[in-house]
Amino acid sequence: MKLTCISLLVVSISVMTNAADWPQWRGVNRDGVWSETGIVERIPEQGLAVRWSAKVSNGYSSPSVAAGRVFITDHVTEPELERVLCFDEATGKQLWMHSYAVDYKDMEYGNGPRAAPTVADGRVYTLGTRGHLFCIDAANGSVVWKKDLVTDFNAKLPTYGTSAAPLVVGDLLIVMAGGKPDACVVALDRKTGETRWTALPDRVAYSAPIVTQAGGCEQLIVWTADAITSLDPPSGMIHWQVGWKANFDPAQMVATLVRHDDLLLGLGAWSRGSKMLKLDATKPAATVLWETREDPSTMHSTPVFQDGGHFYAILNDGSLACMNSATGDKVWSTQEPTGKRMGNAHLVRNGDRVFIFNHTGHLILAHLTPKGYEERGRCLLVEPTAGYRAQGALTWAHPAFANQSIFVRNDRELVCVSLAAKDQVAIAGTQAQFKSSTPAGLPSGSAALAFSPGGKALAVGGSWGEGVKVIDLAGNKPLPGPSPLKDFLCAVAYSPDGKWLIIAGGSEFTPARNGGKTTAQIKVFDLTASKEVGELTGPTNKVFAAAISPDSQTLATGSADNTARLWDIATMKERAVLTGHTAAVMSVAFSPDGKTLATASADHTMKLWDVASGKMIQSIAAHEDELRAIAFSPDGKLLATGSADSSVRVWDAATRKEVAVLRGHRGSINCLTFSPDSKTLASGSGDETIKLWRVADAKESATLKGHRSAVTAIAFAPDARTLASAGMDDAVRVWELPDAK
């Protein structure tokens, strides 16, 4: 039944917040517009001023900011809980936490909550991935009322979890419940939780509802997997409806609907096309201005308008595009803000420019016009993380902009960074600059690299399905190497005698093409014969690490199946399976005498093993977070570990006692290597820098900057004056280090 609006009914969103707050998904009006002034005109080269950082756990949900507090949701695994966290906006101090049990079993992209908290009149409303809905007292964290969408509304949860942030409209809380029968949309009394009305038999999707004034009425507009529908907020009766069915998955309806003047845009996902609707000015009605079958479409980014003639969107190929609002035609596109296919970013308009927060954790300030893209600076705010490792390292959570600051999160921290023009102070560079080059013919985006024993060749692992590229550094000529892996390549290792080249990887995903199973691959290439001699089998999940013993006879690997393994390379036989870690083994290293193997794990421990017997010698709780890297010094005196807690710890290899803690990075330590003379330790981080540390006094000697993504692999050449580094999403760099010794 359709409802005609005879008289004007104004249903306000009652939110007791400051004018500069960000109390819900995409801001005060859910339109991705930030109206504050006194904001930076450019992002300075040295970065922005960090106000504070607070520890959180896994999640995709955006923070919300209201009345001096910051609210966010996350997911922890031991024990498994979803949590609602409240922090002081000025200091980052945690004020309260509410937690509840949840089961993420079989949840696709099972990282954490998706929906942003909604704050109104001293209450915070949260919706968890499994449909747990809470009304919480914002002052103290006590539960006012709660609902379970599955048990209370017979909801069928979407494949990727409940995602649409609840919406406050007057005294109602609107929830995209996906209930049956006719309860895709549910309106609750936001004070008591009592059901006021339910509507629509549609399949629920992921798009958040909006409320807008049009045609003389307040209209609640929802986008389901079957239609765009305008509802009367007090009654739930239909004003108008435009059919639009997801043709393979409700995940084709993810972006939030965007209104500009009389235009209403729905940008579909995964090649489902788009619709531009025109809202009637005199009555609650809408007509289709244009629609497409496939493009433009996005992954899950919501577009923004700068004027009535054009909108700007992150498209399905990862590019930022300017689109003609009247026709849907592309005016221009660029990969500059996202850097690669399948990239993503969130767009927020501030005056005549747009803040872009991308999947690699960078904030970009840009001026967008029909003439093109003008970047006005960028910097890394948080490193991309992978709390649920199979998804890969990324930042998908939408930021909040409030009180001249930006609030961003990953799977480890919530960070508040000032965007006030008055807070930005120029920082003079004091360190020596090191030259670097980017050899041609190498993959852009890599997790592994290694120099050949003589330093004449460099092997670099590509990303998914690319395999390894080997080049002669003198002439940049390609050299023979093993065939590509079918999934991700994570490790590359040369044998010290120059005979073997090993590559390893796999996937923690379980797609149909892999028989619904995780995969592991280890390939052995004979450099002297220039041929691939076979694959090693045994691990059941992605192989993260590989190292070859000093005598070139034994291969060690570390895997996401929580094991390390020892192999006889010549016979291609597995010698031992080293068990004891309770999470993925991320890095392995042989002692210089080849008698000891060190393993670093996501379970926060390093373990030492006797290579001859395969027995564990010692287990050490080495860091507060997962270990990512481990390395012995060539002289055998020291052992270094690097962790997601941003620290490097140095240990006496003989006594296994900690001798130094090296701090200075602002991201996970992904890789470590000692120089051949053991005088320098290099660390590569998710903060996109490489630091060089003097071993003698455990002091930082230099910071190498140039990567535009997390540093994933580093290696010294035998001369100790050359360092190669790989970035997660950018080119390999080769650095000249005249002072490395």
mmCIF file of all heavy atoms in Angstrom, residues 401-415:
data_model
loop_
_atom_site.group_PDB
_atom_site.id
_atom_site.type_symbol
_atom_site.label_atom_id
_atom_site.label_comp_id
_atom_site.label_asym_id
_atom_site.label_seq_id
_atom_site.Cartn_x
_atom_site.Cartn_y
_atom_site.Cartn_z
ATOM 1 N N PHE A 401 35.000 12.356 11.332
ATOM 2 C CA PHE A 401 35.589 13.691 11.325
ATOM 3 C C PHE A 401 34.813 14.542 12.321
ATOM 4 O O PHE A 401 33.608 14.762 12.155
ATOM 5 C CB PHE A 401 35.497 14.315 9.936
ATOM 6 C CG PHE A 401 36.319 13.622 8.884
ATOM 7 C CD1 PHE A 401 35.847 12.475 8.260
ATOM 8 C CD2 PHE A 401 37.566 14.113 8.504
ATOM 9 C CE1 PHE A 401 36.594 11.830 7.283
ATOM 10 C CE2 PHE A 401 38.321 13.475 7.529
ATOM 11 C CZ PHE A 401 37.835 12.328 6.923
ATOM 12 N N ALA A 402 35.497 15.020 13.357
ATOM 13 C CA ALA A 402 34.798 15.786 14.384
ATOM 14 C C ALA A 402 35.770 16.695 15.115
ATOM 15 O O ALA A 402 36.913 16.309 15.390
ATOM 16 C CB ALA A 402 34.125 14.843 15.388
ATOM 17 N N ASN A 403 35.295 17.896 15.419
ATOM 18 C CA ASN A 403 36.054 18.828 16.262
ATOM 19 C C ASN A 403 37.487 18.998 15.766
ATOM 20 O O ASN A 403 38.444 18.888 16.515
ATOM 21 C CB ASN A 403 36.002 18.354 17.717
ATOM 22 C CG ASN A 403 34.568 18.188 18.199
ATOM 23 O OD1 ASN A 403 33.761 19.102 18.069
ATOM 24 N ND2 ASN A 403 34.243 17.006 18.710
ATOM 25 N N GLN A 404 37.592 19.252 14.459
ATOM 26 C CA GLN A 404 38.856 19.516 13.767
ATOM 27 C C GLN A 404 39.842 18.340 13.839
ATOM 28 O O GLN A 404 41.046 18.527 13.749
ATOM 29 C CB GLN A 404 39.525 20.793 14.294
ATOM 30 C CG GLN A 404 38.682 22.046 14.057
ATOM 31 C CD GLN A 404 39.417 23.315 14.407
ATOM 32 O OE1 GLN A 404 40.170 23.362 15.384
ATOM 33 N NE2 GLN A 404 39.238 24.361 13.614
ATOM 34 N N SER A 405 39.297 17.152 13.964
ATOM 35 C CA SER A 405 40.139 15.957 14.029
ATOM 36 C C SER A 405 39.541 14.850 13.186
ATOM 37 O O SER A 405 38.353 14.871 12.848
ATOM 38 C CB SER A 405 40.291 15.470 15.477
ATOM 39 O OG SER A 405 40.939 16.430 16.281
ATOM 40 N N ILE A 406 40.365 13.863 12.875
ATOM 41 C CA ILE A 406 39.902 12.649 12.229
ATOM 42 C C ILE A 406 40.164 11.485 13.176
ATOM 43 O O ILE A 406 41.198 11.428 13.848
ATOM 44 C CB ILE A 406 40.599 12.425 10.863
ATOM 45 C CG1 ILE A 406 40.076 11.137 10.190
ATOM 46 C CG2 ILE A 406 42.108 12.394 10.994
ATOM 47 C CD1 ILE A 406 40.595 10.936 8.776
ATOM 48 N N PHE A 407 39.203 10.574 13.244
ATOM 49 C CA PHE A 407 39.305 9.395 14.093
ATOM 50 C C PHE A 407 39.296 8.168 13.180
ATOM 51 O O PHE A 407 38.324 7.954 12.439
ATOM 52 C CB PHE A 407 38.137 9.336 15.075
ATOM 53 C CG PHE A 407 38.065 10.535 15.994
ATOM 54 C CD1 PHE A 407 37.521 11.739 15.548
ATOM 55 C CD2 PHE A 407 38.551 10.465 17.292
ATOM 56 C CE1 PHE A 407 37.461 12.844 16.377
ATOM 57 C CE2 PHE A 407 38.494 11.567 18.136
ATOM 58 C CZ PHE A 407 37.956 12.765 17.676
ATOM 59 N N VAL A 408 40.371 7.389 13.200
ATOM 60 C CA VAL A 408 40.495 6.236 12.320
ATOM 61 C C VAL A 408 40.880 5.011 13.137
ATOM 62 O O VAL A 408 41.508 5.118 14.195
ATOM 63 C CB VAL A 408 41.538 6.471 11.206
ATOM 64 C CG1 VAL A 408 41.097 7.581 10.279
ATOM 65 C CG2 VAL A 408 42.904 6.801 11.787
ATOM 66 N N ARG A 409 40.550 3.828 12.600
ATOM 67 C CA ARG A 409 40.871 2.604 13.313
ATOM 68 C C ARG A 409 41.375 1.531 12.340
ATOM 69 O O ARG A 409 41.056 1.534 11.154
ATOM 70 C CB ARG A 409 39.658 2.094 14.088
ATOM 71 C CG ARG A 409 38.447 1.647 13.273
ATOM 72 C CD ARG A 409 38.421 0.152 12.897
ATOM 73 N NE ARG A 409 38.493 -0.748 13.980
ATOM 74 C CZ ARG A 409 37.439 -1.191 14.676
ATOM 75 N NH1 ARG A 409 36.217 -0.812 14.330
ATOM 76 N NH2 ARG A 409 37.605 -2.045 15.670
ATOM 77 N N ASN A 410 42.164 0.627 12.905
ATOM 78 C CA ASN A 410 42.483 -0.624 12.247
ATOM 79 C C ASN A 410 42.156 -1.738 13.241
ATOM 80 O O ASN A 410 41.304 -1.558 14.102
ATOM 81 C CB ASN A 410 43.932 -0.649 11.742
ATOM 82 C CG ASN A 410 44.964 -0.444 12.836
ATOM 83 O OD1 ASN A 410 44.684 -0.579 14.032
ATOM 84 N ND2 ASN A 410 46.184 -0.106 12.442
ATOM 85 N N ASP A 411 42.826 -2.872 13.133
ATOM 86 C CA ASP A 411 42.534 -3.981 14.045
ATOM 87 C C ASP A 411 43.356 -3.934 15.322
ATOM 88 O O ASP A 411 43.314 -4.880 16.118
ATOM 89 C CB ASP A 411 42.791 -5.316 13.344
ATOM 90 C CG ASP A 411 41.841 -5.531 12.188
ATOM 91 O OD1 ASP A 411 40.654 -5.214 12.346
ATOM 92 O OD2 ASP A 411 42.281 -6.005 11.125
ATOM 93 N N ARG A 412 44.090 -2.842 15.541
ATOM 94 C CA ARG A 412 44.911 -2.742 16.747
ATOM 95 C C ARG A 412 44.731 -1.436 17.500
ATOM 96 O O ARG A 412 44.926 -1.386 18.700
ATOM 97 C CB ARG A 412 46.397 -2.904 16.384
ATOM 98 C CG ARG A 412 46.722 -4.297 15.933
ATOM 99 C CD ARG A 412 48.218 -4.542 15.898
ATOM 100 N NE ARG A 412 48.439 -5.935 15.581
ATOM 101 C CZ ARG A 412 48.483 -6.420 14.347
ATOM 102 N NH1 ARG A 412 48.350 -5.609 13.325
ATOM 103 N NH2 ARG A 412 48.665 -7.706 14.125
ATOM 104 N N GLU A 413 44.411 -0.378 16.790
ATOM 105 C CA GLU A 413 44.348 0.903 17.481
ATOM 106 C C GLU A 413 43.287 1.812 16.883
ATOM 107 O O GLU A 413 42.931 1.711 15.706
ATOM 108 C CB GLU A 413 45.717 1.604 17.448
ATOM 109 C CG GLU A 413 46.233 1.895 16.056
ATOM 110 C CD GLU A 413 47.571 2.619 16.058
ATOM 111 O OE1 GLU A 413 47.967 3.178 17.094
ATOM 112 O OE2 GLU A 413 48.221 2.637 14.998
ATOM 113 N N LEU A 414 42.790 2.680 17.725
ATOM 114 C CA LEU A 414 41.948 3.800 17.338
ATOM 115 C C LEU A 414 42.805 5.043 17.519
ATOM 116 O O LEU A 414 43.348 5.272 18.602
ATOM 117 C CB LEU A 414 40.708 3.859 18.229
ATOM 118 C CG LEU A 414 39.824 5.112 18.132
ATOM 119 C CD1 LEU A 414 39.160 5.190 16.770
ATOM 120 C CD2 LEU A 414 38.776 5.107 19.242
ATOM 121 N N VAL A 415 42.917 5.844 16.459
ATOM 122 C CA VAL A 415 43.836 6.982 16.473
ATOM 123 C C VAL A 415 43.067 8.271 16.227
ATOM 124 O O VAL A 415 42.200 8.333 15.349
ATOM 125 C CB VAL A 415 44.933 6.810 15.401
ATOM 126 C CG1 VAL A 415 45.859 8.021 15.380
ATOM 127 C CG2 VAL A 415 45.738 5.543 15.663
#
